[in-house]
């Protein structure tokens, strides 16, 4: 057990127990939004490692026993681990297909709760793209019933059967990934887009923590959806219940004010009796929170939800999360937050291979720049960053990591990745916009293929109905879809790049004048004719790039500052709903950042991107 990082000293685990009243601001040590008030054991650290170059491990049954020649630190990337195994510095170059195996032992924790009520759960914070897991040589199946888990951006869990557990247990993981352009890759290279320019080194595999914890057999899972009706101070909670023992239960919700140090009485509480069969179930419940203050960038008010599933004996399986009441809409020229028009002062953010600590510094720095919105560019990030955005009052625009080709299979993979991401992120008031695609990546035939457009239209409608707490952009930058003259996007967005101020003024005038062609690199709308007439908010969702040599922008910080200020003033002189400066940090070949990628230190004055400095222009 020397290499096992433990969350507690005696290596014992207990299921969640309701406290007399919720903890003040319990630290979240795990990459998820929802807290369980129980102990956990991290399995991070040194694992045995092998490169299965000929992909023979399944046939030769390495899960039953294999001599591993190398070790690797989990979490980390396959690329780093392959390079280390070869004695190389840094990450190794990708190959067409990579298959690697990891293995370690862990001792069975002492469990404080009766086994009749609880079980041991194994969770991967993120791993992939294709992951298989064995316990003591037995292939595990995820709670969702997968023998093979696909995806590399979200968590997945296994319930460990008591009969398959020993005092010392062997955990084996096989990870496979390729340069397949049909799987969601974001800006990592593929067969279609090779590394260089705006395409980056791959960073895949064992990228987030692995942990053990005891959970109840009958419980609420660690995912909570939140939809507010701010006018009536109502909150709709979408909860996921995992049931092994069919019976009558009570779902009890309590909402507390986290700012009241001595709180013992909830602001709101309600019980919901349920008759539950075995399996996994979705349940929507609504709670009124009288006097609740709304969440916004200026006042990021949050409340603590304590949700309990109570059995007939009165035992309560509990989860907690912070949430905020907020409403986002796109109406006419403006984006409305909590029924107030709100200009989006945004910045593009590409975390790349940044650590959690570096990303936390980045978020604080982007807030210091005066941004109220961060566009997380086609990347899956640690959910604790969403929590930080909730706390800081930063609006988030998140995007599905895109495939790189447009095929029926790539669309299936895209939808599956979207569902995994949104299911685990709908707790956060900070997340207000989702992009389905960006600049046609993974939808290159959007202008010519009706099937591609139909898929995007159907997905847009699905998101509108299922997740009304978000705005949805169909294809950011250009080639938005019009069907019967109706835009299938809540925002009309354009990516505009020029270092010349007079050209910038011309492009903005043409944009607000409703010219759908000749502004961005491609026509702004495809499909049926669309007549702008200021019926949808305009957002310049990428601009700037000053300092990226290919854009011809200014090279020193003072010149860049003056240019950004001048360009920003032109944006605010026009009926535009928001803008997203490109970008926050330098990353690989892109040298257009405004803050240090390691320290978060600004290279331009604080507040430079804040519109409150330009209110006199309104």
């Amino acid at each position: 057990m020397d290499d096992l990082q433990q969350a507690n000293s005696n290596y014992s685990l207990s299921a969640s127990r309701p406290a007399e009243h919720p903890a003040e601001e319990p630290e979240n040590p795990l990459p998820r939004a929802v807290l369980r008030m129980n102990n956990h054991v991290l399995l991070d650290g040194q694992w045995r490692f092998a490169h299965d170059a000929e992909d023979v491990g399944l046939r030769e049954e390495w899960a039953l026993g294999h001599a591993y020649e190398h070790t690797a630190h989990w979490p980390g990337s396959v690329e780093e681990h392959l390079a280390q195994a070869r004695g190389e510095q840094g990450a190794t170059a990708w190959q067409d297909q990579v298959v690697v195996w990891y293995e370690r032992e862990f001792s069975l924790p002492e469990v404080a709760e009766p086994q009749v009520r609880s079980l041991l759960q194994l969770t991967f914070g993120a791993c992939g793209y294709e992951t298989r897991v064995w316990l003591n040589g037995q292939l595990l199946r995820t709670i969702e019933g997968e023998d093979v888990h696909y995806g590399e951006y979200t968590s997945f869990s296994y319930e460990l059967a008591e009969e398959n557990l020993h005092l010392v247990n062997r955990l084996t993981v096989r990870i496979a990934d390729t340069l397949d352009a049909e799987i969601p890759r974001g800006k990592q290279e593929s067969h279609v887009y090779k590394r260089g320019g705006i395409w980056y080194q791959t960073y895949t595999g064992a990228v987030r923590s692995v942990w053990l914890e005891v959970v109840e057999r009958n419980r609420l899972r660690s995912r909570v959806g939140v939809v507010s009706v701010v006018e009536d101070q109502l909150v709709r909670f979408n909860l996921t219940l995992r049931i092994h023992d069919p019976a009558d239960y009570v779902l009890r919700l309590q909402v507390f004010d986290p700012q009241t140090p001595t709180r013992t009485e909830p602001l709101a509480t309600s019980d919901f009796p349920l008759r539950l069969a075995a399996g996994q179930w979705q349940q929507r419940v609504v709670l009124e929170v009288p006097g609740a203050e709304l969440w916004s960038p200026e006042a990021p008010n949050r409340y603590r939800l304590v949700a309990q599933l109570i059995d007939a004996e009165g035992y309560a399986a509990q989860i907690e999360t912070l949430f905020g009441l907020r409403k986002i809409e796109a109406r006419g020229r403006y984006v409305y937050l909590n029924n107030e028009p709100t200009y989006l002062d945004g910045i593009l953010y590409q975390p790349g291979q940044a650590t959690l600590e570096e990303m936390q510094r980045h978020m604080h720095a982007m807030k210091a720049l005066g941004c109220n919105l961060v566009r997380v560019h086609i990347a899956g990030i640690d959910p604790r960053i969403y929590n930080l955005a909730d706390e800081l009052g930063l609006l988030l625009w998140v995007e599905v990591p895109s495939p790189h080709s447009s095929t029926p299979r790539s669309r299936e993979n895209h939808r599956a990745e979207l569902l995994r991401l949104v299911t685990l992120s709908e707790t956060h008031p900070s997340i207000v916009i989702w992009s389905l695609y960006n600049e046609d990546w993974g939808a290159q035939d959007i202008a010519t293929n009706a099937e591609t457009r139909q898929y995007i239209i159907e997905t847009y409608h699905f998101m509108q109905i299922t997740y009304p707490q978000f705005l949805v952009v169909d294809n950011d930058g250009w080639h938005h879809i019009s069907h019967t003259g109706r835009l299938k996007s809540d925002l009309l967005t354009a990516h505009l790049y020029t270092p010349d101020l007079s050209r910038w003024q011309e492009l903005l005038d043409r944009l607000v004048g409703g010219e759908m062609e000749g502004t961005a690199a491609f026509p702004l709308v495809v499909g049926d004719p669309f007549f702008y007439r200021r019926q949808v908010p305009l957002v310049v969702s990428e601009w700037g790039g000053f300092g990226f040599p290919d854009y011809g922008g200014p090279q020193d910080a003072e010149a860049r500052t003056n240019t950004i200020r001048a360009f920003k003033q032109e944006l605010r002189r026009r009926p535009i709903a928001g803008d997203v400066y490109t970008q926050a940090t330098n990353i690989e070949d892109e040298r257009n950042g405004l803050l240090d990628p390691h320290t978060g230190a600004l290279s331009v004055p604080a507040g430079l991107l804040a519109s409150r400095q330009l209110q006199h222009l309104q």
Side-chain angles (χ1 to χ4, degrees), residues 325-616:
L325 283 74
R326 68 106 180 103
K327 176 184 180 182
I328 192 79
E329 290 181 290
R331 288 191 270 121
R333 285 171 47 188
Y334 298 111
V335 172
Y336 288 80
L337 180 65
N338 302 330
N339 297 319
E340 296 291 335
T342 300
Y343 188 86
L344 303 177
D345 286 307
I347 191 166
L348 190 79
Y349 178 48
Q350 303 191 83
Q353 299 179 26
T355 65
L356 173 63
E357 292 74 18
E358 287 171 339
M359 286 190 285
Q360 290 169 334
R361 296 185 199 115
H362 298 164
M363 298 298 284
H364 284 279
M366 290 184 283
K367 180 81 172 180
L369 278 169
C371 298
N372 64 5
L373 174 115
V374 174
R375 182 176 158 219
V376 183
H377 193 31
I378 56 175
I381 61 174
D382 191 307
R384 286 170 288 193
I385 296 302
Y386 300 147
N387 290 345
L388 180 57
D390 295 343
E391 177 186 342
L392 294 177
L394 277 171
L395 303 170
L396 295 181
W397 178 339
V398 296
E399 305 173 320
V400 187
S402 60
H404 289 179
S405 65
S406 182
T407 66
R409 178 171 172 261
S410 78
R411 291 189 281 275
E412 289 177 8
N413 291 334
H414 176 272
R415 181 178 175 84
E417 198 70 68
L418 168 65
L419 292 177
R420 285 189 289 265
L421 285 164
V422 74
T423 297
L424 291 172
S425 61
E426 58 170 329
T427 308
H428 304 282
S430 57
I431 300 178
V432 293
I433 304 172
W434 280 85
S435 281
L436 304 180
Y437 288 94
N438 175 77
E439 292 186 352
D440 303 350
W441 301 340
Q444 293 92 332
D445 56 357
I446 191 171
T448 58
N449 189 341
E451 291 183 2
T452 298
R453 292 197 297 275
Q454 186 60 34
Y455 164 71
I456 297 174
I457 290 170
E458 290 173 356
T459 306
Y460 169 73
H461 288 161
F462 165 78
M463 290 291 290
Q464 277 193 316
I465 294 169
T466 310
Y467 302 104
Q469 68 268 46
F470 305 125
L471 301 181
V472 180
V473 176
D474 55 351
N475 178 55
D476 186 45
W478 48 70
H479 282 165
H480 298 283
I481 298 172
S482 172
H483 180 66
T484 65
R486 302 177 185 178
L487 201 65
K488 298 304 176 179
S489 177
D490 293 326
L491 305 174
L492 181 59
T493 69
H495 294 177
L496 306 180
Y497 287 109
T498 176
D500 181 76
L501 183 60
S502 61
R503 172 64 173 163
W504 179 243
Q505 293 167 330
E506 176 193 348
L507 289 174
L508 294 180
D509 287 338
R510 295 175 66 179
L511 181 67
V512 300
E515 294 188 31
M516 296 295 102
E517 299 188 20
T519 50
F522 296 93
L524 291 185
V525 175
V526 296
D528 299 327
F530 174 75
F531 302 96
Y532 169 53
R533 304 297 193 272
R534 302 190 180 185
Q535 62 178 297
V536 64
L538 274 177
V539 175
V540 180
S541 52
E542 287 186 25
W543 67 276
F546 308 123
F548 192 13
D550 289 354
Y551 297 150
Q555 299 299 306
D556 65 86
E558 182 179 0
R560 188 184 306 185
T561 296
N562 293 335
T563 304
I564 290 172
R565 185 173 287 122
F567 275 53
K568 185 80 171 183
Q569 288 174 345
E570 295 300 329
L571 284 161
R572 294 312 314 272
R573 288 190 174 107
R574 292 165 174 81
I576 291 172
D579 67 84
V580 179
Y581 177 80
T582 304
Q583 62 184 334
T585 66
N586 295 338
I587 180 169
E588 298 208 13
D589 292 349
E590 295 196 63
R591 318 302 298 172
N592 51 341
L594 302 183
L595 56 102
D596 186 278
H598 301 297
T599 68
L602 301 183
S603 61
V604 296
L608 180 63
L609 297 179
S611 280
R612 58 181 174 273
Q613 297 181 346
L614 305 168
Q615 298 239 333
H616 64 284

Side-chain angles (χ1 to χ4, degrees), residues 250-270:
V250 172
L251 176 60
R252 176 171 297 162
L253 299 189
Q254 296 175 297
V255 172
F256 294 84
D257 178 2
Q259 303 304 317
T260 305
T262 59
R263 68 195 184 282
T264 56
E265 293 299 321
L267 298 176
T269 184
S270 190

Side-chain angles (χ1 to χ4, degrees), residues 18-19 220 250-254 306-310 316-319:
L220 294 159
V250 172
L251 176 60
R252 176 171 297 162
L253 299 189
Q254 296 175 297
V306 177
Q308 298 172 328
L309 186 66
I310 305 172
Q318 177 173 306
I319 60 173

Side-chain angles (χ1 to χ4, degrees), residues 196-216:
I198 63 171
W199 304 104
Y200 306 146
Q201 168 74 44
T202 54
Y203 187 85
T204 59
V207 294
R208 285 191 206 142
S209 292
V210 186
W211 64 91
L212 289 168
E213 62 186 322
V214 168
V215 297
E216 293 85 359

